[in-house]
PDB file of all heavy atoms in Angstrom:
ATOM      1  N   VAL A  12      34.801 -15.934  17.537  1.00 88.00           N
ATOM      2  CA  VAL A  12      34.562 -16.744  18.732  1.00 88.00           C
ATOM      3  C   VAL A  12      33.090 -16.675  19.127  1.00 88.00           C
ATOM      4  O   VAL A  12      32.496 -17.685  19.519  1.00 88.00           O
ATOM      5  CB  VAL A  12      35.486 -16.267  19.877  1.00 88.00           C
ATOM      6  CG1 VAL A  12      35.077 -16.884  21.193  1.00 88.00           C
ATOM      7  CG2 VAL A  12      36.918 -16.624  19.560  1.00 88.00           C
ATOM      8  N   THR A  13      32.474 -15.476  18.971  1.00 87.00           N
ATOM      9  CA  THR A  13      31.049 -15.352  19.284  1.00 87.00           C
ATOM     10  C   THR A  13      30.216 -16.304  18.441  1.00 87.00           C
ATOM     11  O   THR A  13      29.317 -16.980  18.949  1.00 87.00           O
ATOM     12  CB  THR A  13      30.564 -13.912  19.024  1.00 87.00           C
ATOM     13  OG1 THR A  13      31.471 -13.024  19.639  1.00 87.00           O
ATOM     14  CG2 THR A  13      29.180 -13.697  19.565  1.00 87.00           C
ATOM     15  N   ALA A  14      30.563 -16.369  17.127  1.00 85.00           N
ATOM     16  CA  ALA A  14      29.805 -17.253  16.234  1.00 85.00           C
ATOM     17  C   ALA A  14      29.944 -18.701  16.681  1.00 85.00           C
ATOM     18  O   ALA A  14      28.952 -19.434  16.770  1.00 85.00           O
ATOM     19  CB  ALA A  14      30.297 -17.097  14.796  1.00 85.00           C
ATOM     20  N   LEU A  15      31.186 -19.101  17.002  1.00 88.00           N
ATOM     21  CA  LEU A  15      31.410 -20.495  17.386  1.00 88.00           C
ATOM     22  C   LEU A  15      30.696 -20.812  18.699  1.00 88.00           C
ATOM     23  O   LEU A  15      30.083 -21.869  18.852  1.00 88.00           O
ATOM     24  CB  LEU A  15      32.906 -20.783  17.502  1.00 88.00           C
ATOM     25  CG  LEU A  15      33.701 -20.596  16.206  1.00 88.00           C
ATOM     26  CD1 LEU A  15      35.152 -20.946  16.403  1.00 88.00           C
ATOM     27  CD2 LEU A  15      33.111 -21.421  15.086  1.00 88.00           C
ATOM     28  N   ILE A  16      30.752 -19.847  19.643  1.00 88.00           N
ATOM     29  CA  ILE A  16      30.086 -20.068  20.926  1.00 88.00           C
ATOM     30  C   ILE A  16      28.580 -20.192  20.728  1.00 88.00           C
ATOM     31  O   ILE A  16      27.927 -21.043  21.332  1.00 88.00           O
ATOM     32  CB  ILE A  16      30.411 -18.923  21.916  1.00 88.00           C
ATOM     33  CG1 ILE A  16      31.859 -19.026  22.379  1.00 88.00           C
ATOM     34  CG2 ILE A  16      29.480 -18.961  23.124  1.00 88.00           C
ATOM     35  CD1 ILE A  16      32.294 -17.907  23.260  1.00 88.00           C
ATOM     36  N   MET A  17      28.034 -19.324  19.833  1.00 87.00           N
ATOM     37  CA  MET A  17      26.587 -19.378  19.611  1.00 87.00           C
ATOM     38  C   MET A  17      26.167 -20.765  19.123  1.00 87.00           C
ATOM     39  O   MET A  17      25.230 -21.360  19.660  1.00 87.00           O
ATOM     40  CB  MET A  17      26.172 -18.322  18.599  1.00 87.00           C
ATOM     41  CG  MET A  17      24.733 -18.485  18.150  1.00 87.00           C
ATOM     42  SD  MET A  17      24.170 -17.213  17.060  1.00 87.00           S
ATOM     43  CE  MET A  17      24.981 -17.650  15.560  1.00 87.00           C
ATOM     44  N   VAL A  18      26.894 -21.283  18.129  1.00 87.00           N
ATOM     45  CA  VAL A  18      26.523 -22.600  17.585  1.00 87.00           C
ATOM     46  C   VAL A  18      26.678 -23.677  18.663  1.00 87.00           C
ATOM     47  O   VAL A  18      25.779 -24.495  18.887  1.00 87.00           O
ATOM     48  CB  VAL A  18      27.373 -22.943  16.353  1.00 87.00           C
ATOM     49  CG1 VAL A  18      26.973 -24.279  15.789  1.00 87.00           C
ATOM     50  CG2 VAL A  18      27.218 -21.888  15.301  1.00 87.00           C
ATOM     51  N   GLY A  19      27.831 -23.632  19.349  1.00 88.00           N
ATOM     52  CA  GLY A  19      28.080 -24.649  20.369  1.00 88.00           C
ATOM     53  C   GLY A  19      27.038 -24.613  21.466  1.00 88.00           C
ATOM     54  O   GLY A  19      26.473 -25.644  21.854  1.00 88.00           O
ATOM     55  N   ALA A  20      26.732 -23.396  21.960  1.00 88.00           N
ATOM     56  CA  ALA A  20      25.774 -23.264  23.050  1.00 88.00           C
ATOM     57  C   ALA A  20      24.396 -23.746  22.621  1.00 88.00           C
ATOM     58  O   ALA A  20      23.718 -24.473  23.363  1.00 88.00           O
ATOM     59  CB  ALA A  20      25.706 -21.805  23.497  1.00 88.00           C
ATOM     60  N   ALA A  21      23.995 -23.365  21.406  1.00 86.00           N
ATOM     61  CA  ALA A  21      22.655 -23.766  20.956  1.00 86.00           C
ATOM     62  C   ALA A  21      22.575 -25.271  20.774  1.00 86.00           C
ATOM     63  O   ALA A  21      21.545 -25.883  21.071  1.00 86.00           O
ATOM     64  CB  ALA A  21      22.296 -23.055  19.659  1.00 86.00           C
ATOM     65  N   LEU A  22      23.675 -25.886  20.307  1.00 85.00           N
ATOM     66  CA  LEU A  22      23.666 -27.346  20.158  1.00 85.00           C
ATOM     67  C   LEU A  22      23.516 -28.011  21.520  1.00 85.00           C
ATOM     68  O   LEU A  22      22.753 -28.970  21.676  1.00 85.00           O
ATOM     69  CB  LEU A  22      24.959 -27.828  19.493  1.00 85.00           C
ATOM     70  CG  LEU A  22      25.051 -27.689  17.986  1.00 85.00           C
ATOM     71  CD1 LEU A  22      26.389 -28.203  17.495  1.00 85.00           C
ATOM     72  CD2 LEU A  22      23.925 -28.442  17.314  1.00 85.00           C
ATOM     73  N   ILE A  23      24.236 -27.470  22.521  1.00 87.00           N
ATOM     74  CA  ILE A  23      24.152 -28.068  23.855  1.00 87.00           C
ATOM     75  C   ILE A  23      22.748 -27.870  24.436  1.00 87.00           C
ATOM     76  O   ILE A  23      22.150 -28.799  24.985  1.00 87.00           O
ATOM     77  CB  ILE A  23      25.232 -27.463  24.776  1.00 87.00           C
ATOM     78  CG1 ILE A  23      26.606 -27.929  24.297  1.00 87.00           C
ATOM     79  CG2 ILE A  23      25.016 -27.874  26.222  1.00 87.00           C
ATOM     80  CD1 ILE A  23      27.750 -27.219  24.947  1.00 87.00           C
ATOM     81  N   ILE A  24      22.202 -26.656  24.277  1.00 86.00           N
ATOM     82  CA  ILE A  24      20.847 -26.392  24.797  1.00 86.00           C
ATOM     83  C   ILE A  24      19.841 -27.317  24.119  1.00 86.00           C
ATOM     84  O   ILE A  24      18.996 -27.933  24.777  1.00 86.00           O
ATOM     85  CB  ILE A  24      20.461 -24.904  24.574  1.00 86.00           C
ATOM     86  CG1 ILE A  24      21.327 -24.005  25.448  1.00 86.00           C
ATOM     87  CG2 ILE A  24      18.996 -24.676  24.881  1.00 86.00           C
ATOM     88  CD1 ILE A  24      21.158 -22.545  25.160  1.00 86.00           C
TER      89      ILE A  24
END
Side-chain angles (χ1 to χ4, degrees):
Chain A
V12 169
T13 311
L15 299 182
I16 288 176
M17 170 176 74
V18 181
L22 280 180
I23 291 169
I24 292 172

